[in-house]
Structure formats: C-alpha cells, structure tokens
DNA sequence: AATGCACTCAACCGCCCAGGC
DNA sequence: TGCCTGGGCGGTTGAGTGCAT
C-alpha cells in the first residue's frame, strides 16, 4: 500500500551533506542546470535521494540565498504574511527574496512564534498574529500618512506590473546582483574552506553561465521559476526580464505589506488583502498560466484605482483566528 | 570539568498535485 | 480515464551547539 519511495532507499546516504557532496552537486548543476532531479544521483555518483539533492540545492546551495540573521523588516514581513497566508511557507518565501521557505519556517517556529506569544501575553492583544503584530507597531503614523504610503505602494506595484507586462524592458531597472551572497554560511568552521570553493565555483558559473541542457531546460526553468522569481533572478548574473519584474513586484508588495506604517485602525487592511494574497501566491509561479494570472493581478491593480475609497471591497473573505483559511 | 537541558536548523518524511502516457 | 512519476510543500526529527548548574 502507498506509493513506493521516490528512489531506492537501500544504499542511499542520509544525514548531513559533506563539502565533497556539495561540490559534486554544484558542479553538476553548473553544467546541466537544476531540474531533472531524478537523474542527479545517477549522474553525479552521489548516493543521495533525488529529493535530498533538490532540497540541498534549493535550501542551501542555490545562488542568492541569504542566511543568518533576519532583519527586523524581514521579521515583520514574515509575521504579517503568516497572518495573511497561514503556514504557507513557500508562498511567504516568494515575498522574501533570498530566504528559503525552510529558513522562514524554522525562523517562525523557533523565534517568531515565541516572540508573538510573549508579546500577546504581555500586551493582551488579540489572538491572531496580524493584529498583535500590527498593534505592536501601531501608532507610529497617522492614517493620512498611511493612505499616502499605500497609494505610493500601489503605484509601485502598478509600475512593476506594467514593466512585467511590457515586452521590452528598459535597461535602467533595478538589477539584482547576485555577487554578494550566493552562498553565505552562518556558521564558520571546518566547512568554510569548502564553502569558499563552492562559492568560487558558483561565481565562475555566473560569470560564464553554461546553457542548461536542452533536454531539461523546461524543468530547469520551472525549478527556478517555482521559487517565485526571487532567487531565480540571480542565477545567471544578468537576470531574465521576468525575473527582474518579479523582483520589482516582490519589492512593491513587500512595501505594500509593510505594516510598520499601519495604524491599528487598519487591521482590516490585511483582510482586504487576503484574497489577493492568494492571488499573488499564484503569481509566484509565473510559468503556469502566467498570462491569466497576470490578468487577475492586472485587474486588481487597475481596478484598485477606480475603487479607491472603497478599499474594503475585498474584505468579504474573513480570516479565521489563526489565519489558516486555506 | 562534567552533565543535563534547551535551542537551532539542516535534513528527512509523507502527502499532494500536475503532467505525461 | 486512470495510472505513474517527478517535483513541491508543510510538518517533524535529530544531530550539533550553547548555556546553566
């Protein structure tokens, strides 16, 4: 009963990855691109499950990953997005360039849950994380200021969308340079020298990107795209057009979601955002029906202009107390 | 210095979904 | 249409580490 394991478990190595294994994996991906994970153990000689290879790449070795301390802004983003999206870590990660879902999930479970609980215990705020988080950072800005900020953010989002939709993209846009953190290990130690080696390999790769094998290019593309266009932007040094767009969208929504500027009267802002949050989550997978989803996005963004002053028009979807409404 | 406890986070597990046949 | 497979995702585990006693 049940499906067979993804690969033959017998003889498969488990546990921590060694620097040698990392290098083997990175070398292979440099040459062939990520994707077609089934073939990776065979072709690299690694005695690792294909899933393990994929996980190691996406959570650790992939260029553009930022590791270590979360900034206050990132922290607030996570709290806010968790309230909006629930424990949909991949969706949340799509709004936080350079952070993996695993990283965010761990950070939430080890730091933020406690932090929020402490905050709630101390302040006696309402039970949902959003309210408490929003309340914790409230009273810093007047409603008028917040509305101006929101308008600016919406404008940014529209601009990003417009850029995303336009076939030609001006070259002067913000470009994500991957040079400062494709691999940044949190813990120094014996691994460091190997880390540097891997970093060099990747640096060399990004300078002279080899074309992914044509046979798995689709998978490669999907693999990169599936991380929401955040990290994918960095993969070849010069980000693809859509990646830049995704970055801009991400930045725009990040700004949009910044709740330091929310006063407590706007706690329902998140509710009005929630249906769109799922929409944007879909947007984080731009390769699938991208056009259709962009149309939805487009609709929301462009409609928003005509609906200003009616900013609760989407609030019919309620968030339950845990925000796990999916 | 030794021991036990708490914490962190990389990695694994199992389920689900989409696409191909 | 149903089965199979690859890949994605969220939850959980456990080795490693730091800190308190």
């Amino acid at each position: 009963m049940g499906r067979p394991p993804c690969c033959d478990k017998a003889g498969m190595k488990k546990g921590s990855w060694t620097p040698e294994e990392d290098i083997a994996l990175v070398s292979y991906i440099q040459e062939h691109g990520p994707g077609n994970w089934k073939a990776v153990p065979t072709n690299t000689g690694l005695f690792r499950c294909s899933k393990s290879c994929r996980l190691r790449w996406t959570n650790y070795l992939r260029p553009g990953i930022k590791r270590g301390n979360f900034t206050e802004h990132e922290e607030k983003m996570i709290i806010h997005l968790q309230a909006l999206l629930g424990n949909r870590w991949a969706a949340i990660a799509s709004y936080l360039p350079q952070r993996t879902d695993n990283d965010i999930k761990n950070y939430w479970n080890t730091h933020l849950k406690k932090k929020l609980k402490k905050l709630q215990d101390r302040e006696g705020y309402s039970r949902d994380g959003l309210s408490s988080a929003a309340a914790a950072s409230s009273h810093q800005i007047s409603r008028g200021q917040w509305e101006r900020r929101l308008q600016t953010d919406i404008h940014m989002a529209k601009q990003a969308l417009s850029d995303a939709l336009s076939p030609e993209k001006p070259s002067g846009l913000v470009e994500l340079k991957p040079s400062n953190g494709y691999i940044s290990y949190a813990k120094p130690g014996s691994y460091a020298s190997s880390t540097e080696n891997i970093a060099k390999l990747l640096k060399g790769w990004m300078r002279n990107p080899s074309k992914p094998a044509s046979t798995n290019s689709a998978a490669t593309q999907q693999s990169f795209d599936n991380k929401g266009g955040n990290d994918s932007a960095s993969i070849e040094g010069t980000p693809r057009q859509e990646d830049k767009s995704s970055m801009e969208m991400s930045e725009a929504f990040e700004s949009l979601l910044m709740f330091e500027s929310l006063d407590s009267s706007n706690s329902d802002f998140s509710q009005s955002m929630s249906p769109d949050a799922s929409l944007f989550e879909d947007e984080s997978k731009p390769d699938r029906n991208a056009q259709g989803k962009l149309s939805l996005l487009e609709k929301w963004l462009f409609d928003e202009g005509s609906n200003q002053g009616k900013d609760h028009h989407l609030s019919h979807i309620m968030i339950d107390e845990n925000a796990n409404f999916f």
Side-chain angles (χ1 to χ4, degrees), chain A residues 62-65 98 176-179 181-182 205-206 224 229-240 243 247:
Chain A
R62 188 163 49 92
I65 291 179
Q98 305 178 327
L176 182 67
K177 295 280 186 187
S179 59
Y182 28 85
W205 175 36
M206 283 183 287
F224 282 125
N230 44 19
D231 52 287
S232 61
S234 61
I235 217 71
E236 291 191 355
T238 336
R240 288 177 293 119
D243 294 332
M247 281 298 302

Side-chain angles (χ1 to χ4, degrees), chain A residues 95-113:
Chain A
Y95 293 95
L96 287 165
Q98 305 178 327
R99 297 291 186 183
T100 68
D101 52 356
N102 206 35
D103 222 12
I104 292 169
K105 180 172 59 182
N106 282 332
Y107 191 66
W108 173 264
N109 287 329
T110 56
H111 292 92
L112 296 181
K113 259 205 291 202

Side-chain angles (χ1 to χ4, degrees), chain A residues 197-309:
Chain A
N197 290 340
I198 295 165
K200 281 176 192 168
L201 279 169
L202 285 166
K203 195 181 272 183
W205 175 36
M206 283 183 287
R207 267 201 299 271
N208 304 300
S210 62
K211 285 208 182 288
S214 58
T215 52
N216 60 14
S217 60
T220 301
Q221 194 62 66
Q222 185 184 1
S223 174
F224 282 125
D225 284 346
N226 275 342
K227 280 298 173 182
N230 44 19
D231 52 287
S232 61
S234 61
I235 217 71
E236 291 191 355
T238 336
R240 288 177 293 119
Q241 180 173 306
E242 64 201 81
D243 294 332
K244 286 197 237 171
S245 303
S246 297
M247 281 298 302
E248 288 162 324
M249 290 291 282
S250 176
E251 285 171 17
F253 293 123
E254 184 175 324
S255 175
L256 195 62
L257 287 164
M258 279 180 68
F259 62 86
E260 301 99 303
S261 57
L262 298 180
D263 69 35
S264 54
S265 67
N266 284 301
S267 60
D268 57 350
F269 170 68
S270 61
Q271 294 186 14
S272 67
M273 282 290 293
S274 57
D276 307 288
S278 63
L279 177 83
F280 297 152
E281 193 271 329
D282 284 340
E283 172 61 18
S284 73
K285 299 171 183 175
D287 54 326
R288 291 182 199 154
N289 301 318
Q291 193 56 54
K293 280 158 187 172
L294 278 175
S295 298
L296 288 170
L297 257 178
E298 192 178 13
K299 185 173 186 307
W300 173 72
L301 285 169
F302 293 149
D303 282 354
E304 191 283 330
S306 60
N307 281 320
Q308 274 185 359

